[in-house]
């Protein structure tokens, strides 16, 4: 099964924002980079994640304004992380169980990437296609 290290090889950039930045700035960066979440980094340490879900639940529903609210007030601060050696199948399980769409990847205490549910689904589908091809080949060869 594919590991997160393999997936990250095709995703060189990490999009992040400072906790003091405004939600408006975060939304602008998310739109510019076409991503659904940003890692919140302070002094090279992961302190949270800000997602579209955070915006909907903690901004819109609470009547806050994005130009005045700092990211740290509405981000998710208890962040579940994975390592590069985690498999895509394990990620899918964690994402499903925790109802999350983005997983920061941490190696030796350093953020090395972020994986989205879309990355994981593509990887799992590729793994399944490979397995099907192997089984078809085995069956055609007479087992």
């Amino acid at each position: 099964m594919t590991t997160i290290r393999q997936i990250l090889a095709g995703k060189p950039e990490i999009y992040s924002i400072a906790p003091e930045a405004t939600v408006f700035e975060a939304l602008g960066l998310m739109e510019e980079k076409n991503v659904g979440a940003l890692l919140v980094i302070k002094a090279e340490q992961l302190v949270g994640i800000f997602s579209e879900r955070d915006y909907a639940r903690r901004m819109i529903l609470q009547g806050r304004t994005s130009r005045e609210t700092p990211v740290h007030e509405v981000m998710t601060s208890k962040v579940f992380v994975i390592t590069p050696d985690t498999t895509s199948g394990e990620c899918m399980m964690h994402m499903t169980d925790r109802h999350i769409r983005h997983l920061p990847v941490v190696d030796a205490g350093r953020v090395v990437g972020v994986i989205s549910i879309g990355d994981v689904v593509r990887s799992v589908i590729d793994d399944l296609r490979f397995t099907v091809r192997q089984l078809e080949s085995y069956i055609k060869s007479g087992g």
Side-chain angles (χ1 to χ4, degrees):
M1 187 161 275
T2 304
T3 66
I4 298 311
R5 186 180 317 278
Q6 292 167 296
I7 296 172
L8 287 179
K11 293 185 71 171
E13 293 191 58
I14 301 171
Y15 301 119
S16 66
I17 196 149
E20 301 82 20
T22 66
V23 169
F24 186 80
E25 292 169 315
L27 293 172
L29 181 58
M30 290 164 68
E31 191 277 327
E32 176 187 328
K33 302 300 183 184
N34 194 30
V35 295
L38 297 172
L39 299 183
V40 183
I41 306 282
K42 182 175 186 171
E44 297 184 25
Q45 292 297 308
L46 178 67
V47 295
I49 188 166
F50 177 75
S51 69
E52 294 165 333
R53 187 176 287 179
D54 293 322
Y55 178 71
R57 293 181 178 176
R58 298 188 186 124
M59 292 291 301
I60 296 172
L61 292 177
Q62 294 180 11
R64 296 176 181 227
T65 60
S66 59
R67 290 184 188 271
E68 297 171 5
T69 305
V71 169
H72 70 85
E73 288 185 10
V74 294
M75 70 183 186
T76 298
S77 55
K78 292 181 182 177
V79 182
F80 182 81
V81 300
I82 56 172
T83 68
D85 296 321
T86 306
T87 66
S88 55
E90 291 170 321
C91 285
M92 184 170 282
M93 183 181 65
H94 291 306
M95 290 172 142
T96 302
D97 291 347
R98 290 173 170 79
H99 305 285
I100 54 179
R101 298 178 184 161
H102 300 87
L103 287 172
V105 185
V106 176
D107 192 16
R110 190 174 73 84
V111 176
V112 295
V114 63
I115 296 295
S116 73
I117 189 69
D119 299 325
V120 172
V121 168
R122 277 188 293 281
S123 173
V124 168
I125 289 171
D126 288 346
D127 287 344
L128 290 172
R129 284 183 179 144
F130 176 78
T131 300
V132 167
R133 284 194 303 272
Q134 294 297 311
L135 289 171
E136 287 173 340
S137 177
Y138 175 76
I139 291 167
K140 288 177 184 175
S141 71

